[in-house]
Amino acid sequence: MDKALVNGRVMTDRGIEEGLAVRLSQGRIAALGPAAEVASGAETRDLYGGLLLPGFIDIQVNGGGGHLFNDAPTAQTIAAIGRAHRQFGTTGFLPTLISDELSAVEAAIVGARAAIIGGVPGVLGVHIEGPFLNPKRKGIHELGKLRRMDEAAFELLTSLSVGRTLVTLAPETTNPQMIGRLVAAGVVVSAGHTNANYATVRSALDKGLSGFTHLFNAMAPLTSREPGVVGAALEDADSWCSIIVDGHHVDPVVLRVALRCKSHDRFILITDAMPSVGSEATSFVLQGKAIAVRDGVCVDEHGTLAGSDLDMAGAVGNAVRLLGLDLADASRMASRNPAEFLGLGDVMGRIAPGYRADLVLLDDSLKVLDTWIGGADSETGGPKGGRDAAVHG
């Protein structure tokens, strides 16, 4: 039977609208309009004035719920990570593999394929972050895992066959022609952990590189005589920049400056989340390194940032509070923008007829009350007493 969500404040392309009902049918949004028309003959759910937004899409999720994708890159791990993040409004995500051997990359792709075919809720593909990175900008990535792109890697990165494959690489570890081949094969290519100069990045953009992974972090900065990766990212009008808005990875002032340089519809909120999200863990092990979680920050013994303790509801709340964005812009950065970046903008990321019924219900403090993935309500009816989205992490 069709379902109708009524008495909510609905985030549409025009902003938050009241008095609308959303009709769900066969996993999609069938209609949007006055309750008297849209809800007729459907099973109704009263949202009691809650905020109904498109479900959040997180394109960089290393772990959650105590699980790290690198430790066991399987469909079971992906499902566990998805459950952990769903309670914070994430209805679509890319499990992310940090730099590792090609055998681990293959296992991650096999695991993602199995998860998609097996119907794991929310999984959209896989994000391979490295190992094609610059050692000078490696961050927490293990130096011994890094390598240059070659034909074996190309064959592997183009092998998923279902869903979306996002690859973060340093353009200087390969050449523009290889980037063009990856893009032509359907891979979404993003620059990250790179020390490339402006000219190298510009050549990669001309061949189809379309994103920049966690802007400002682990990349050549903008300086007076060399625009670097950051300069190329902010100058290019069409490419997408993912940002970690936790108050730790990048100073909010710097992000506010970036938002003045480029259209807001080219920024994407990500978490870069680690196993601590959705768990009580205060530490974990990443490729043999002990990582401590303190005050919303994940660091190794040397103080190097190791992903984040951020969830998507927190990212949206921080975008509003720290960056001064209105909720409509923050919502778009967490839903429509990542969907369009992945080439899914015609089916996901909006509350509009024909779109997949991936939704999140929030209260006025932006705490998640409930989620829907493909029209299916969360089994628990939403988290109880979860994190406050209005604080960092």
Side-chain angles (χ1 to χ4, degrees):
M1 185 178 185
D2 287 3
K3 299 176 183 178
L5 308 180
V6 302
N7 194 27
R9 290 170 288 163
V10 182
M11 183 68 74
T12 72
D13 294 345
R14 296 179 294 273
I16 296 173
E17 298 190 59
E18 298 187 26
L20 296 180
V22 181
R23 190 181 185 104
L24 314 182
S25 180
Q26 298 182 337
R28 296 192 176 269
I29 298 170
L32 184 67
E37 300 173 10
V38 171
S40 178
E43 177 186 334
T44 61
R45 162 80 180 274
D46 193 333
L47 303 184
Y48 296 102
L51 291 161
L52 189 68
L53 274 57
F56 304 144
I57 299 172
D58 191 352
I59 61 173
Q60 190 159 353
V61 186
N62 310 297
H67 299 269
L68 181 68
F69 191 45
N70 274 72
D71 285 349
T74 65
Q76 291 75 20
T77 300
I78 293 171
I81 292 171
R83 285 192 298 270
H85 284 270
R86 182 172 183 173
Q87 64 183 310
F88 304 112
T90 297
T91 60
F93 70 102
L94 294 180
T96 301
L97 188 83
I98 296 167
S99 294
D100 212 324
E101 305 294 342
L102 288 189
S103 59
V105 174
E106 181 177 14
I109 291 171
V110 170
R113 184 187 303 120
I116 293 170
I117 293 173
V120 171
V123 61
L124 303 177
V126 69
H127 181 172
I128 306 299
E129 186 188 11
F132 320 103
L133 309 179
N134 191 315
K136 293 182 179 179
R137 298 286 178 179
K138 68 181 183 64
I140 200 64
H141 291 244
E142 188 175 336
L143 180 62
K145 304 291 186 185
L146 305 188
R147 56 180 290 156
R148 294 187 65 84
M149 180 75 67
D150 58 19
E151 285 299 320
F154 172 82
E155 294 298 326
L156 187 55
L157 295 175
T158 57
S159 66
L160 180 61
S161 75
V162 293
R164 294 292 190 267
T165 300
L166 170 61
V167 173
T168 290
L169 53 76
E172 65 271 29
T173 67
T174 182
N175 56 62
Q177 291 70 34
M178 177 63 82
I179 290 173
R181 288 176 60 198
L182 286 167
V183 172
V187 175
V188 181
V189 181
S190 186
H193 292 273
T194 168
N195 209 40
N197 60 25
Y198 172 86
T200 299
V201 179
R202 185 64 257 173
S203 295
L205 286 164
D206 291 341
K207 288 296 184 178
L209 181 132
S210 59
F212 293 87
T213 296
H214 42 58
L215 184 68
F216 295 108
N217 293 114
M219 60 180 58
L222 168 68
T223 67
S224 60
R225 294 182 179 85
E226 170 51 57
V229 182
V230 171
L234 294 179
E235 180 202 42
D236 186 75
D238 297 324
S239 57
W240 308 80
C241 299
S242 69
I243 53 177
I244 306 171
V245 188
D246 62 356
H248 304 293
H249 276 75
V250 185
D251 191 286
V253 173
V254 176
L255 289 176
R256 291 198 295 268
V257 170
L259 289 166
R260 294 183 182 184
C261 296
K262 190 166 181 163
S263 173
H264 290 184
D265 66 8
R266 284 297 183 269
F267 287 89
I268 296 169
L269 297 178
I270 60 170
T271 65
D272 200 10
M274 284 296 184
S276 55
V277 175
S279 94
E280 299 299 321
T282 58
S283 65
F284 58 92
V285 176
L286 174 65
Q287 294 179 325
K289 303 183 188 77
I291 308 298
V293 184
R294 296 191 298 266
D295 300 322
V297 183
C298 302
V299 292
D300 70 4
E301 62 178 337
H302 305 293
T304 302
L305 288 169
S308 86
D309 189 43
L310 182 68
D311 58 72
M312 281 299 284
V316 171
N318 287 342
V320 172
R321 190 170 60 85
L322 300 180
L323 305 186
L325 295 174
D326 61 31
L327 184 57
D329 264 352
S331 172
R332 177 166 180 146
M333 291 180 188
S335 54
R336 186 170 180 177
N337 291 2
E340 291 182 353
F341 172 59
L342 294 177
L344 298 171
D346 58 342
V347 293
M348 300 179 67
R350 297 171 61 203
I351 299 180
Y355 276 67
R356 203 168 91 167
D358 292 353
L359 306 164
V360 57
L361 181 67
L362 307 172
D363 66 15
D364 285 338
S365 69
L366 304 187
K367 180 179 176 181
V368 175
L369 301 175
D370 208 347
T371 58
W372 292 259
I373 297 180
D377 191 1
S378 59
E379 293 181 357
T380 61
K384 309 299 181 185
R387 299 178 178 197
D388 186 346
V391 299
H392 299 179

